[in-house]
Amino acid sequence: MSVTTEGARRRGAGRGRPLLYTSYAADQAIWNTPAKRVWTLALLVAVLALPFYLDRDLTSLLTTVFVYAIGGIGLNLVTGYAGQVSLGHAFFLGLGAYTAAVFGGEATDDVVGLGLDMAIWLPLAGLVPALVGFAVAPLAARVRGLYLAILTLGLVFIGLHIFNEADSITGGAGVGRAPAEPVLFGVDLTTRFELFGTRVNRDMVYYILCLVVLVVLAVAARNLTRSKWGRAFAAVRDRDVAAEVMGVSLLRTKTLAFTISSFYAGIAGALLSVVVGRISPNTWDLFLSIDFLAVVLIGGVATITGSIMGAAFVVLLPRLVDELSAYLPFISGHTGEGFLSVFQLQTMIFGALIVLFLVLEPRGLYGLWVRVRNYWKAWPFSY
Amino acid sequence: MDELIASVVRGLGIGSTYALLGVGFVIIYRATKVINFAQPALMILGGYFTSLFATRAGLPFPVAVVAAMVAVAAIGALCERVALRPMVGEPPFAAAMVTVGVFIVLLIVAFRLIGTQVLTVGDPWGLSRTSVLGVSVAQVDIAKIVISLVAIGVIGVFLARSRLGLAMRATALDQEVALAQGVDVGRIFGLSWAIAGALAALAGMLIGTASGGIEATTALVALKALPVIILGGLDSIKGSVYAGLLIGVAESLTRTYQPEHAPFLGANFDVVVPYVIMMAVLMVRPYGLFGTPEVQRV
């Protein structure tokens, strides 16, 4: 086809028919309707403006959302799109965090650190886990389904052991070490500075930084899923035998999925360690992996937007329960005696929600959103 | 030599509880094609109930154990009915995640019940030792091996000989055909969970015996049963027995000899040994030692 796709789309839109696609590329575009384009832009502006109106602790909480979203997108690529269930995500997060700490952290008597710039350690924090993921992938490609889930679970336990033992890198069990120094292009991000007459504190800088990284990586992931490789992922997930018959190499596809997923996990781990501060090796355990699986499942399997929604849900839910618990009589506060502590309630609700989402809405939050969107799209008709 | 034998016996003891837990996983997997991640929580509840019935209610120990097994079996069947039955026909991974949710909820219940205390299960063996072929071994280890193997043997005979066992095997083979032959498949699911719950309760009791006692965090020990079932093959009871014993012994031998002979592997290396063995075996046999290779129709 010699027709320039962009032009064809615009003419359709110009005649008031925004949903008329005259090319495959226009149909597959990320922002394939004007409404999506407008609202995404509006949302981005709102999110950018948010930290200027929020408390510092909420800003920092939202930063954690962005970091979880990055990790969640990574897991969604391998689990949601390529269908390879991985319980080993926490291991790659830890690997990213310690790569960052080694290259970007300061050396002390106990731990090594090179003190490099963030422009160097952040990509490295993705590349090193990606390399490890690349090395592990052929192993993982041999087994399928639940065997794979347990195999990757083994990675978490072996990783925990290594993290606990490698004192000079991780600080050792129970001690931990300081994370990488956030110095970007020679500018120390932890100092306060003035921007357009407004005080910008550390939390806001982290917020903007993580948001930028998230947007870049999310768009990259979305583009990947629209590409030849993304379709190969889906083919492997849906029917691996058929995919292989059609010439999709299982080994290469799975290896790519694991490598990219580990890259995302590494970046998320590095940013998480910077946002949280001091990290103990036991952070990177099975429950962190389950958190990320919950991000994928609650958010929506095989959607990038869903991963971001899921991350927001998983990170903000404990805070919400915390706020609401003041009004529930059977919950003990931080001091008094009650039937359940806040933490126990949070964990229980979390577990119950995983069950509820899987039973009632397997497509997750994104599925709910699609239902709402379709309802209003056709309103006042029911379809 | 004595050290070696003592270590092997200890390994067989702990390995037989892994086998017990593993058989629970396998029974549920065969019936529903789901790995039950809630098994550790069922195990810890089993330990709690045994302790409750034996030490607080003052029941004789065997009665307390059976009562705990019945209680946890009921909890298991209830979980299946509430959380897992709606997942029939969904992809196995989604159902497995549901069991993770159940695990989290039950674990919090266990934390709530047990709190920070260390419970004793009131077992009659304590720390006493006995002499077998001239080597002094803890009675607890002998009890673990005997009780586990007897329990697994009973399950094996039940599956092989009884009508209900036949129905369970039929369901494992093909659910729809079993349904067509008049087997109540839903009840088989519930029964599988109940049996797995009972076995988990027994394992919880055995893990809580002697010096150990039961804490809320003991639940994580049961995760060792995961490499066991993968090593043995997800659908093989025989496999999980052999793999359980193998991993128990390997773990125990590592704990005895590794600090001396291979200190560079770090402290507590025995904790990761099951996973290392599992990965090594999966390289050679992707479906475990006794698992059925999946045949795919094109």
mmCIF file with all atom_site columns, all heavy atoms in Angstrom, chain A residues 85 139 142 144 147 161 239 241 297 339 347, chain B residues 93 97 104 112 234 265 267 283 294 296-297:
data_model
loop_
_atom_site.group_PDB
_atom_site.id
_atom_site.type_symbol
_atom_site.label_atom_id
_atom_site.label_alt_id
_atom_site.label_comp_id
_atom_site.label_asym_id
_atom_site.label_entity_id
_atom_site.label_seq_id
_atom_site.pdbx_PDB_ins_code
_atom_site.Cartn_x
_atom_site.Cartn_y
_atom_site.Cartn_z
_atom_site.occupancy
_atom_site.B_iso_or_equiv
_atom_site.pdbx_formal_charge
_atom_site.auth_seq_id
_atom_site.auth_comp_id
_atom_site.auth_asym_id
_atom_site.auth_atom_id
_atom_site.pdbx_PDB_model_num
ATOM 1   N N   . VAL A 1 85  ? 4.682   -17.965 33.340 1.00 0.00 ? 85  VAL A N   1
ATOM 2   C CA  . VAL A 1 85  ? 4.484   -17.533 34.720 1.00 0.00 ? 85  VAL A CA  1
ATOM 3   C C   . VAL A 1 85  ? 5.818   -17.471 35.447 1.00 0.00 ? 85  VAL A C   1
ATOM 4   O O   . VAL A 1 85  ? 6.548   -18.449 35.486 1.00 0.00 ? 85  VAL A O   1
ATOM 5   C CB  . VAL A 1 85  ? 3.553   -18.495 35.461 1.00 0.00 ? 85  VAL A CB  1
ATOM 6   C CG1 . VAL A 1 85  ? 3.417   -18.074 36.902 1.00 0.00 ? 85  VAL A CG1 1
ATOM 7   C CG2 . VAL A 1 85  ? 2.224   -18.530 34.773 1.00 0.00 ? 85  VAL A CG2 1
ATOM 8   N N   . LEU A 1 139 ? 17.097  -22.215 30.405 1.00 0.00 ? 139 LEU A N   1
ATOM 9   C CA  . LEU A 1 139 ? 16.685  -23.157 31.454 1.00 0.00 ? 139 LEU A CA  1
ATOM 10  C C   . LEU A 1 139 ? 15.164  -23.105 31.624 1.00 0.00 ? 139 LEU A C   1
ATOM 11  O O   . LEU A 1 139 ? 14.491  -24.141 31.689 1.00 0.00 ? 139 LEU A O   1
ATOM 12  C CB  . LEU A 1 139 ? 17.382  -22.700 32.732 1.00 0.00 ? 139 LEU A CB  1
ATOM 13  C CG  . LEU A 1 139 ? 17.655  -23.598 33.912 1.00 0.00 ? 139 LEU A CG  1
ATOM 14  C CD1 . LEU A 1 139 ? 18.723  -22.932 34.754 1.00 0.00 ? 139 LEU A CD1 1
ATOM 15  C CD2 . LEU A 1 139 ? 16.415  -23.806 34.720 1.00 0.00 ? 139 LEU A CD2 1
ATOM 16  N N   . ARG A 1 142 ? 12.813  -24.645 28.951 1.00 0.00 ? 142 ARG A N   1
ATOM 17  C CA  . ARG A 1 142 ? 12.657  -26.100 28.871 1.00 0.00 ? 142 ARG A CA  1
ATOM 18  C C   . ARG A 1 142 ? 11.395  -26.592 29.543 1.00 0.00 ? 142 ARG A C   1
ATOM 19  O O   . ARG A 1 142 ? 10.884  -27.659 29.222 1.00 0.00 ? 142 ARG A O   1
ATOM 20  C CB  . ARG A 1 142 ? 13.866  -26.772 29.526 1.00 0.00 ? 142 ARG A CB  1
ATOM 21  C CG  . ARG A 1 142 ? 14.969  -27.127 28.574 1.00 0.00 ? 142 ARG A CG  1
ATOM 22  C CD  . ARG A 1 142 ? 16.075  -27.837 29.305 1.00 0.00 ? 142 ARG A CD  1
ATOM 23  N NE  . ARG A 1 142 ? 15.760  -29.210 29.642 1.00 0.00 ? 142 ARG A NE  1
ATOM 24  C CZ  . ARG A 1 142 ? 15.801  -30.221 28.786 1.00 0.00 ? 142 ARG A CZ  1
ATOM 25  N NH1 . ARG A 1 142 ? 16.142  -29.995 27.538 1.00 0.00 ? 142 ARG A NH1 1
ATOM 26  N NH2 . ARG A 1 142 ? 15.522  -31.447 29.151 1.00 0.00 ? 142 ARG A NH2 1
ATOM 27  N N   . ARG A 1 144 ? 7.379   -25.939 31.384 1.00 0.00 ? 144 ARG A N   1
ATOM 28  C CA  . ARG A 1 144 ? 6.177   -25.178 31.072 1.00 0.00 ? 144 ARG A CA  1
ATOM 29  C C   . ARG A 1 144 ? 5.272   -25.081 32.281 1.00 0.00 ? 144 ARG A C   1
ATOM 30  O O   . ARG A 1 144 ? 5.364   -25.871 33.215 1.00 0.00 ? 144 ARG A O   1
ATOM 31  C CB  . ARG A 1 144 ? 5.417   -25.865 29.930 1.00 0.00 ? 144 ARG A CB  1
ATOM 32  C CG  . ARG A 1 144 ? 6.265   -26.060 28.693 1.00 0.00 ? 144 ARG A CG  1
ATOM 33  C CD  . ARG A 1 144 ? 5.484   -26.766 27.620 1.00 0.00 ? 144 ARG A CD  1
ATOM 34  N NE  . ARG A 1 144 ? 4.263   -26.046 27.314 1.00 0.00 ? 144 ARG A NE  1
ATOM 35  C CZ  . ARG A 1 144 ? 3.069   -26.602 27.299 1.00 0.00 ? 144 ARG A CZ  1
ATOM 36  N NH1 . ARG A 1 144 ? 2.947   -27.870 27.570 1.00 0.00 ? 144 ARG A NH1 1
ATOM 37  N NH2 . ARG A 1 144 ? 2.011   -25.904 27.018 1.00 0.00 ? 144 ARG A NH2 1
ATOM 38  N N   . TYR A 1 147 ? 5.391   -25.992 36.401 1.00 0.00 ? 147 TYR A N   1
ATOM 39  C CA  . TYR A 1 147 ? 6.789   -26.363 36.622 1.00 0.00 ? 147 TYR A CA  1
ATOM 40  C C   . TYR A 1 147 ? 7.661   -25.108 36.548 1.00 0.00 ? 147 TYR A C   1
ATOM 41  O O   . TYR A 1 147 ? 8.592   -24.931 37.327 1.00 0.00 ? 147 TYR A O   1
ATOM 42  C CB  . TYR A 1 147 ? 7.264   -27.371 35.572 1.00 0.00 ? 147 TYR A CB  1
ATOM 43  C CG  . TYR A 1 147 ? 6.804   -28.792 35.805 1.00 0.00 ? 147 TYR A CG  1
ATOM 44  C CD1 . TYR A 1 147 ? 5.623   -29.257 35.266 1.00 0.00 ? 147 TYR A CD1 1
ATOM 45  C CD2 . TYR A 1 147 ? 7.572   -29.669 36.557 1.00 0.00 ? 147 TYR A CD2 1
ATOM 46  C CE1 . TYR A 1 147 ? 5.205   -30.558 35.479 1.00 0.00 ? 147 TYR A CE1 1
ATOM 47  C CE2 . TYR A 1 147 ? 7.172   -30.971 36.773 1.00 0.00 ? 147 TYR A CE2 1
ATOM 48  C CZ  . TYR A 1 147 ? 5.986   -31.420 36.227 1.00 0.00 ? 147 TYR A CZ  1
ATOM 49  O OH  . TYR A 1 147 ? 5.579   -32.701 36.439 1.00 0.00 ? 147 TYR A OH  1
ATOM 50  N N   . HIS A 1 161 ? 19.531  -16.265 49.237 1.00 0.00 ? 161 HIS A N   1
ATOM 51  C CA  . HIS A 1 161 ? 20.730  -16.815 49.869 1.00 0.00 ? 161 HIS A CA  1
ATOM 52  C C   . HIS A 1 161 ? 21.967  -16.036 49.442 1.00 0.00 ? 161 HIS A C   1
ATOM 53  O O   . HIS A 1 161 ? 22.779  -15.632 50.273 1.00 0.00 ? 161 HIS A O   1
ATOM 54  C CB  . HIS A 1 161 ? 20.870  -18.293 49.488 1.00 0.00 ? 161 HIS A CB  1
ATOM 55  C CG  . HIS A 1 161 ? 22.083  -18.941 50.066 1.00 0.00 ? 161 HIS A CG  1
ATOM 56  N ND1 . HIS A 1 161 ? 22.195  -19.223 51.403 1.00 0.00 ? 161 HIS A ND1 1
ATOM 57  C CD2 . HIS A 1 161 ? 23.246  -19.321 49.513 1.00 0.00 ? 161 HIS A CD2 1
ATOM 58  C CE1 . HIS A 1 161 ? 23.376  -19.768 51.639 1.00 0.00 ? 161 HIS A CE1 1
ATOM 59  N NE2 . HIS A 1 161 ? 24.026  -19.839 50.507 1.00 0.00 ? 161 HIS A NE2 1
ATOM 60  N N   . ARG A 1 239 ? -0.813  -20.742 22.084 1.00 0.00 ? 239 ARG A N   1
ATOM 61  C CA  . ARG A 1 239 ? -0.673  -22.120 21.660 1.00 0.00 ? 239 ARG A CA  1
ATOM 62  C C   . ARG A 1 239 ? 0.752   -22.312 21.198 1.00 0.00 ? 239 ARG A C   1
ATOM 63  O O   . ARG A 1 239 ? 1.101   -21.963 20.063 1.00 0.00 ? 239 ARG A O   1
ATOM 64  C CB  . ARG A 1 239 ? -1.655  -22.411 20.503 1.00 0.00 ? 239 ARG A CB  1
ATOM 65  C CG  . ARG A 1 239 ? -1.926  -23.870 20.276 1.00 0.00 ? 239 ARG A CG  1
ATOM 66  C CD  . ARG A 1 239 ? -3.015  -24.355 21.225 1.00 0.00 ? 239 ARG A CD  1
ATOM 67  N NE  . ARG A 1 239 ? -3.382  -25.729 20.908 1.00 0.00 ? 239 ARG A NE  1
ATOM 68  C CZ  . ARG A 1 239 ? -2.789  -26.786 21.482 1.00 0.00 ? 239 ARG A CZ  1
ATOM 69  N NH1 . ARG A 1 239 ? -1.847  -26.619 22.367 1.00 0.00 ? 239 ARG A NH1 1
ATOM 70  N NH2 . ARG A 1 239 ? -3.170  -28.005 21.153 1.00 0.00 ? 239 ARG A NH2 1
ATOM 71  N N   . VAL A 1 241 ? 2.599   -24.893 20.492 1.00 0.00 ? 241 VAL A N   1
ATOM 72  C CA  . VAL A 1 241 ? 2.864   -25.824 19.390 1.00 0.00 ? 241 VAL A CA  1
ATOM 73  C C   . VAL A 1 241 ? 2.547   -25.155 18.050 1.00 0.00 ? 241 VAL A C   1
ATOM 74  O O   . VAL A 1 241 ? 3.351   -25.180 17.112 1.00 0.00 ? 241 VAL A O   1
ATOM 75  C CB  . VAL A 1 241 ? 2.032   -27.107 19.559 1.00 0.00 ? 241 VAL A CB  1
ATOM 76  C CG1 . VAL A 1 241 ? 2.253   -28.026 18.372 1.00 0.00 ? 241 VAL A CG1 1
ATOM 77  C CG2 . VAL A 1 241 ? 2.419   -27.817 20.839 1.00 0.00 ? 241 VAL A CG2 1
ATOM 78  N N   . LEU A 1 297 ? -2.278  -9.367  37.862 1.00 0.00 ? 297 LEU A N   1
ATOM 79  C CA  . LEU A 1 297 ? -3.590  -10.017 37.857 1.00 0.00 ? 297 LEU A CA  1
ATOM 80  C C   . LEU A 1 297 ? -4.709  -9.037  38.177 1.00 0.00 ? 297 LEU A C   1
ATOM 81  O O   . LEU A 1 297 ? -5.769  -9.057  37.550 1.00 0.00 ? 297 LEU A O   1
ATOM 82  C CB  . LEU A 1 297 ? -3.607  -11.160 38.868 1.00 0.00 ? 297 LEU A CB  1
ATOM 83  C CG  . LEU A 1 297 ? -2.738  -12.349 38.475 1.00 0.00 ? 297 LEU A CG  1
ATOM 84  C CD1 . LEU A 1 297 ? -2.622  -13.314 39.630 1.00 0.00 ? 297 LEU A CD1 1
ATOM 85  C CD2 . LEU A 1 297 ? -3.325  -13.041 37.265 1.00 0.00 ? 297 LEU A CD2 1
ATOM 86  N N   . PHE A 1 339 ? -9.579  -6.755  67.209 1.00 0.00 ? 339 PHE A N   1
ATOM 87  C CA  . PHE A 1 339 ? -9.630  -8.116  66.690 1.00 0.00 ? 339 PHE A CA  1
ATOM 88  C C   . PHE A 1 339 ? -8.475  -8.368  65.715 1.00 0.00 ? 339 PHE A C   1
ATOM 89  O O   . PHE A 1 339 ? -7.846  -9.406  65.722 1.00 0.00 ? 339 PHE A O   1
ATOM 90  C CB  . PHE A 1 339 ? -10.976 -8.362  66.008 1.00 0.00 ? 339 PHE A CB  1
ATOM 91  C CG  . PHE A 1 339 ? -11.091 -9.729  65.432 1.00 0.00 ? 339 PHE A CG  1
ATOM 92  C CD1 . PHE A 1 339 ? -11.105 -10.838 66.267 1.00 0.00 ? 339 PHE A CD1 1
ATOM 93  C CD2 . PHE A 1 339 ? -11.166 -9.929  64.066 1.00 0.00 ? 339 PHE A CD2 1
ATOM 94  C CE1 . PHE A 1 339 ? -11.194 -12.111 65.752 1.00 0.00 ? 339 PHE A CE1 1
ATOM 95  C CE2 . PHE A 1 339 ? -11.258 -11.200 63.538 1.00 0.00 ? 339 PHE A CE2 1
ATOM 96  C CZ  . PHE A 1 339 ? -11.280 -12.289 64.384 1.00 0.00 ? 339 PHE A CZ  1
ATOM 97  N N   . THR A 1 347 ? -3.212  -7.225  54.724 1.00 0.00 ? 347 THR A N   1
ATOM 98  C CA  . THR A 1 347 ? -2.767  -8.438  54.053 1.00 0.00 ? 347 THR A CA  1
ATOM 99  C C   . THR A 1 347 ? -3.941  -9.313  53.675 1.00 0.00 ? 347 THR A C   1
ATOM 100 O O   . THR A 1 347 ? -3.998  -9.884  52.588 1.00 0.00 ? 347 THR A O   1
ATOM 101 C CB  . THR A 1 347 ? -1.815  -9.215  54.979 1.00 0.00 ? 347 THR A CB  1
ATOM 102 O OG1 . THR A 1 347 ? -0.949  -8.290  55.601 1.00 0.00 ? 347 THR A OG1 1
ATOM 103 C CG2 . THR A 1 347 ? -1.009  -10.220 54.210 1.00 0.00 ? 347 THR A CG2 1
ATOM 104 N N   . PHE B 2 93  ? -3.123  -21.610 35.982 1.00 0.00 ? 93  PHE B N   1
ATOM 105 C CA  . PHE B 2 93  ? -2.346  -20.617 36.706 1.00 0.00 ? 93  PHE B CA  1
ATOM 106 C C   . PHE B 2 93  ? -3.249  -19.677 37.499 1.00 0.00 ? 93  PHE B C   1
ATOM 107 O O   . PHE B 2 93  ? -2.939  -19.301 38.624 1.00 0.00 ? 93  PHE B O   1
ATOM 108 C CB  . PHE B 2 93  ? -1.475  -19.808 35.755 1.00 0.00 ? 93  PHE B CB  1
ATOM 109 C CG  . PHE B 2 93  ? -0.829  -18.665 36.454 1.00 0.00 ? 93  PHE B CG  1
ATOM 110 C CD1 . PHE B 2 93  ? 0.105   -18.918 37.442 1.00 0.00 ? 93  PHE B CD1 1
ATOM 111 C CD2 . PHE B 2 93  ? -1.180  -17.369 36.187 1.00 0.00 ? 93  PHE B CD2 1
ATOM 112 C CE1 . PHE B 2 93  ? 0.669   -17.879 38.143 1.00 0.00 ? 93  PHE B CE1 1
ATOM 113 C CE2 . PHE B 2 93  ? -0.620  -16.333 36.880 1.00 0.00 ? 93  PHE B CE2 1
ATOM 114 C CZ  . PHE B 2 93  ? 0.313   -16.579 37.852 1.00 0.00 ? 93  PHE B CZ  1
ATOM 115 N N   . MET B 2 97  ? -3.189  -19.015 41.461 1.00 0.00 ? 97  MET B N   1
ATOM 116 C CA  . MET B 2 97  ? -3.107  -17.712 42.124 1.00 0.00 ? 97  MET B CA  1
ATOM 117 C C   . MET B 2 97  ? -4.201  -17.556 43.164 1.00 0.00 ? 97  MET B C   1
ATOM 118 O O   . MET B 2 97  ? -4.020  -16.895 44.179 1.00 0.00 ? 97  MET B O   1
ATOM 119 C CB  . MET B 2 97  ? -3.203  -16.575 41.095 1.00 0.00 ? 97  MET B CB  1
ATOM 120 C CG  . MET B 2 97  ? -1.899  -16.068 40.572 1.00 0.00 ? 97  MET B CG  1
ATOM 121 S SD  . MET B 2 97  ? -0.600  -15.861 41.790 1.00 0.00 ? 97  MET B SD  1
ATOM 122 C CE  . MET B 2 97  ? -1.014  -14.280 42.507 1.00 0.00 ? 97  MET B CE  1
ATOM 123 N N   . ILE B 2 104 ? -2.681  -16.461 51.772 1.00 0.00 ? 104 ILE B N   1
ATOM 124 C CA  . ILE B 2 104 ? -2.449  -15.217 52.509 1.00 0.00 ? 104 ILE B CA  1
ATOM 125 C C   . ILE B 2 104 ? -3.499  -15.050 53.608 1.00 0.00 ? 104 ILE B C   1
ATOM 126 O O   . ILE B 2 104 ? -3.183  -14.750 54.756 1.00 0.00 ? 104 ILE B O   1
ATOM 127 C CB  . ILE B 2 104 ? -2.459  -14.014 51.537 1.00 0.00 ? 104 ILE B CB  1
ATOM 128 C CG1 . ILE B 2 104 ? -1.232  -14.102 50.619 1.00 0.00 ? 104 ILE B CG1 1
ATOM 129 C CG2 . ILE B 2 104 ? -2.444  -12.713 52.290 1.00 0.00 ? 104 ILE B CG2 1
ATOM 130 C CD1 . ILE B 2 104 ? -1.210  -13.072 49.523 1.00 0.00 ? 104 ILE B CD1 1
ATOM 131 N N   . ARG B 2 112 ? -2.899  -14.729 63.657 1.00 0.00 ? 112 ARG B N   1
ATOM 132 C CA  . ARG B 2 112 ? -3.820  -14.187 64.648 1.00 0.00 ? 112 ARG B CA  1
ATOM 133 C C   . ARG B 2 112 ? -4.014  -15.186 65.795 1.00 0.00 ? 112 ARG B C   1
ATOM 134 O O   . ARG B 2 112 ? -4.051  -14.826 66.961 1.00 0.00 ? 112 ARG B O   1
ATOM 135 C CB  . ARG B 2 112 ? -5.148  -13.883 63.945 1.00 0.00 ? 112 ARG B CB  1
ATOM 136 C CG  . ARG B 2 112 ? -6.270  -13.426 64.813 1.00 0.00 ? 112 ARG B CG  1
ATOM 137 C CD  . ARG B 2 112 ? -6.074  -12.018 65.298 1.00 0.00 ? 112 ARG B CD  1
ATOM 138 N NE  . ARG B 2 112 ? -6.822  -11.825 66.526 1.00 0.00 ? 112 ARG B NE  1
ATOM 139 C CZ  . ARG B 2 112 ? -6.398  -11.108 67.553 1.00 0.00 ? 112 ARG B CZ  1
ATOM 140 N NH1 . ARG B 2 112 ? -5.236  -10.535 67.506 1.00 0.00 ? 112 ARG B NH1 1
ATOM 141 N NH2 . ARG B 2 112 ? -7.147  -10.975 68.619 1.00 0.00 ? 112 ARG B NH2 1
ATOM 142 N N   . LEU B 2 234 ? 4.836   -33.701 39.158 1.00 0.00 ? 234 LEU B N   1
ATOM 143 C CA  . LEU B 2 234 ? 3.640   -33.134 39.789 1.00 0.00 ? 234 LEU B CA  1
ATOM 144 C C   . LEU B 2 234 ? 2.530   -34.154 40.014 1.00 0.00 ? 234 LEU B C   1
ATOM 145 O O   . LEU B 2 234 ? 1.736   -34.008 40.916 1.00 0.00 ? 234 LEU B O   1
ATOM 146 C CB  . LEU B 2 234 ? 3.091   -32.010 38.914 1.00 0.00 ? 234 LEU B CB  1
ATOM 147 C CG  . LEU B 2 234 ? 3.592   -30.613 39.213 1.00 0.00 ? 234 LEU B CG  1
ATOM 148 C CD1 . LEU B 2 234 ? 2.986   -29.635 38.233 1.00 0.00 ? 234 LEU B CD1 1
ATOM 149 C CD2 . LEU B 2 234 ? 3.214   -30.228 40.620 1.00 0.00 ? 234 LEU B CD2 1
ATOM 150 N N   . LEU B 2 265 ? 30.216  -21.590 50.356 1.00 0.00 ? 265 LEU B N   1
ATOM 151 C CA  . LEU B 2 265 ? 28.810  -21.514 49.942 1.00 0.00 ? 265 LEU B CA  1
ATOM 152 C C   . LEU B 2 265 ? 27.976  -20.714 50.936 1.00 0.00 ? 265 LEU B C   1
ATOM 153 O O   . LEU B 2 265 ? 26.821  -20.427 50.681 1.00 0.00 ? 265 LEU B O   1
ATOM 154 C CB  . LEU B 2 265 ? 28.238  -22.917 49.777 1.00 0.00 ? 265 LEU B CB  1
ATOM 155 C CG  . LEU B 2 265 ? 28.799  -23.688 48.584 1.00 0.00 ? 265 LEU B CG  1
ATOM 156 C CD1 . LEU B 2 265 ? 28.339  -25.120 48.611 1.00 0.00 ? 265 LEU B CD1 1
ATOM 157 C CD2 . LEU B 2 265 ? 28.378  -23.027 47.287 1.00 0.00 ? 265 LEU B CD2 1
ATOM 158 N N   . ALA B 2 267 ? 26.630  -19.516 55.067 1.00 0.00 ? 267 ALA B N   1
ATOM 159 C CA  . ALA B 2 267 ? 25.847  -20.131 56.133 1.00 0.00 ? 267 ALA B CA  1
ATOM 160 C C   . ALA B 2 267 ? 24.455  -20.498 55.629 1.00 0.00 ? 267 ALA B C   1
ATOM 161 O O   . ALA B 2 267 ? 23.947  -19.888 54.690 1.00 0.00 ? 267 ALA B O   1
ATOM 162 C CB  . ALA B 2 267 ? 25.746  -19.171 57.306 1.00 0.00 ? 267 ALA B CB  1
ATOM 163 N N   . MET B 2 283 ? 16.738  -29.737 34.419 1.00 0.00 ? 283 MET B N   1
ATOM 164 C CA  . MET B 2 283 ? 17.551  -29.625 33.220 1.00 0.00 ? 283 MET B CA  1
ATOM 165 C C   . MET B 2 283 ? 17.489  -30.921 32.410 1.00 0.00 ? 283 MET B C   1
ATOM 166 O O   . MET B 2 283 ? 17.413  -30.917 31.192 1.00 0.00 ? 283 MET B O   1
ATOM 167 C CB  . MET B 2 283 ? 19.015  -29.379 33.587 1.00 0.00 ? 283 MET B CB  1
ATOM 168 C CG  . MET B 2 283 ? 19.343  -28.005 34.062 1.00 0.00 ? 283 MET B CG  1
ATOM 169 S SD  . MET B 2 283 ? 18.975  -26.808 32.824 1.00 0.00 ? 283 MET B SD  1
ATOM 170 C CE  . MET B 2 283 ? 17.245  -26.633 33.040 1.00 0.00 ? 283 MET B CE  1
ATOM 171 N N   . GLU B 2 294 ? 3.947   -34.300 29.304 1.00 0.00 ? 294 GLU B N   1
ATOM 172 C CA  . GLU B 2 294 ? 2.716   -33.831 28.696 1.00 0.00 ? 294 GLU B CA  1
ATOM 173 C C   . GLU B 2 294 ? 2.765   -34.098 27.193 1.00 0.00 ? 294 GLU B C   1
ATOM 174 O O   . GLU B 2 294 ? 3.723   -33.735 26.529 1.00 0.00 ? 294 GLU B O   1
ATOM 175 C CB  . GLU B 2 294 ? 2.583   -32.334 28.948 1.00 0.00 ? 294 GLU B CB  1
ATOM 176 C CG  . GLU B 2 294 ? 1.220   -31.787 28.696 1.00 0.00 ? 294 GLU B CG  1
ATOM 177 C CD  . GLU B 2 294 ? 1.169   -30.304 28.986 1.00 0.00 ? 294 GLU B CD  1
ATOM 178 O OE1 . GLU B 2 294 ? 2.116   -29.800 29.613 1.00 0.00 ? 294 GLU B OE1 1
ATOM 179 O OE2 . GLU B 2 294 ? 0.211   -29.662 28.574 1.00 0.00 ? 294 GLU B OE2 1
ATOM 180 N N   . GLN B 2 296 ? 1.222   -33.235 23.673 1.00 0.00 ? 296 GLN B N   1
ATOM 181 C CA  . GLN B 2 296 ? 0.386   -32.180 23.098 1.00 0.00 ? 296 GLN B CA  1
ATOM 182 C C   . GLN B 2 296 ? -0.173  -32.617 21.760 1.00 0.00 ? 296 GLN B C   1
ATOM 183 O O   . GLN B 2 296 ? 0.529   -33.145 20.924 1.00 0.00 ? 296 GLN B O   1
ATOM 184 C CB  . GLN B 2 296 ? 1.224   -30.926 22.914 1.00 0.00 ? 296 GLN B CB  1
ATOM 185 C CG  . GLN B 2 296 ? 1.604   -30.322 24.234 1.00 0.00 ? 296 GLN B CG  1
ATOM 186 C CD  . GLN B 2 296 ? 1.757   -28.841 24.090 1.00 0.00 ? 296 GLN B CD  1
ATOM 187 O OE1 . GLN B 2 296 ? 0.846   -28.165 23.621 1.00 0.00 ? 296 GLN B OE1 1
ATOM 188 N NE2 . GLN B 2 296 ? 2.895   -28.334 24.465 1.00 0.00 ? 296 GLN B NE2 1
ATOM 189 N N   . ARG B 2 297 ? -1.452  -32.365 21.634 1.00 0.00 ? 297 ARG B N   1
ATOM 190 C CA  . ARG B 2 297 ? -2.076  -32.639 20.355 1.00 0.00 ? 297 ARG B CA  1
ATOM 191 C C   . ARG B 2 297 ? -1.965  -31.391 19.495 1.00 0.00 ? 297 ARG B C   1
ATOM 192 O O   . ARG B 2 297 ? -2.173  -30.287 19.981 1.00 0.00 ? 297 ARG B O   1
ATOM 193 C CB  . ARG B 2 297 ? -3.548  -32.983 20.587 1.00 0.00 ? 297 ARG B CB  1
ATOM 194 C CG  . ARG B 2 297 ? -4.027  -34.115 19.740 1.00 0.00 ? 297 ARG B CG  1
ATOM 195 C CD  . ARG B 2 297 ? -5.450  -34.440 20.094 1.00 0.00 ? 297 ARG B CD  1
ATOM 196 N NE  . ARG B 2 297 ? -5.568  -35.022 21.428 1.00 0.00 ? 297 ARG B NE  1
ATOM 197 C CZ  . ARG B 2 297 ? -6.724  -35.123 22.068 1.00 0.00 ? 297 ARG B CZ  1
ATOM 198 N NH1 . ARG B 2 297 ? -7.824  -34.661 21.524 1.00 0.00 ? 297 ARG B NH1 1
ATOM 199 N NH2 . ARG B 2 297 ? -6.794  -35.677 23.247 1.00 0.00 ? 297 ARG B NH2 1
#
